[in-house]
Amino acid sequence: MVVLAKPAALEQISLLRTPEPWETMSGVPAVDLSGPGAADHVVRACERFGFFSVVNHGVPAGVVDRLEAEAVRFFASPQADKDASGPADPFGYGSKRIGRNGDMGWLEYLLLAIDRDALSKASPAPSSSALREAINEYVVAMRGLARTVLEMVAEGLGVSPRGALADMVTGEDAASDQVFRLNHYPPCPLPLPPSCSVTGFGEHTDPQLVSILRSNGAAGLQVALHDDDGRWVSVPPNRNAFFVNVGDSLQVLTNGRLKSVRHRVVAGSGSGSGLKSRVSMIYFGGPPLAQRIAPLPQLLHGSSPLYREFTWGEYKKAAYRSRLADNRLAPFEEP
Ligand code: GA4
């Protein structure tokens, strides 16, 4: 719920009514990728929540820690240095403004284009070579993880070949559209009306096939439960796990069997020294612009497609004209 009276600095950022305490999601499905039945487990989690965590993922802790340390260093650098990497239009350093249509959140971020398996060479931001190297190393690991997850989705759904979905994002022959984002959510020090929290990143679904998120262990991520009227629950942080979100494109490809997850981040508040900033790193796996997105015939089993076909380029263009919370799939639903 949006509340009106608030400090001027928060004028354009929505406040959320805070229940005491936020309800915690106790049953986040945790998939052990090397365990038996992992593919079925992945599909069940994607059907029920559009969301799961991955443990025993094989991504070396050093790769993650290096990037976290470099990200913390970047966000702690002087504002003028960070601004030199901005504005995010759409790529680069951004603060509070998200997208082009008036969405605001209590965060700063670096939004970056990935070419194949590395940060785009055409991107001047970030200028630190240590941060660029850490991102490149991390992105290679995320591409591997995205591939494994999408292969398991295909296997669990009985889609062949097993690489049909994974190739859209990590295939070698076409340039897929991958994006990488580092977010920093400092605690909001401003006085807030009672029982209110500040929106860090407003509710939305991700447009791509999958996104893989990792955070530093500070709370804030919430997801809306599919089977419970979209009730919001907090996801307990786990700095050693990756969280996978089903995106809109995977929802369409599976004719709605897997559903994209609405999620948001609530900023911490207060000025005590014990308050932790949240730092998250998210890989978004999108296909090449020309990729056709439509329900896979193999998954229709005689029923009609729920969505009309579009290209990823079309969807992306429409997404960039939308507000964060919009239902971006609605215009593509078959009547
Ligand atoms: C949501 C998922 C990714 O963070 C993102 C976001 C993008 C942006 O920040 O520029 C968008 C948002 C996201 C969907 C709707 C549009 C575009 C902000 C916004 C209001 C990078 C993406 O791909 O789509």
Side-chain angles (χ1 to χ4, degrees), residues 98-99 103 111 181 204 206-208 284 319-320 322 324 328:
I98 300 168
D103 288 290
L111 184 57
R181 149 164 241 152
H204 64 285
D206 293 340
Q208 293 82 0
F284 299 94
Y320 271 92
S322 69
L324 210 44
R328 279 173 280 281

Side-chain angles (χ1 to χ4, degrees), residues 6-13 96 106 190:
K6 56 182 165 179
L10 293 175
E11 207 171 323
Q12 295 173 70
I13 302 182
K96 298 195 178 72
W106 190 259
L190 301 166

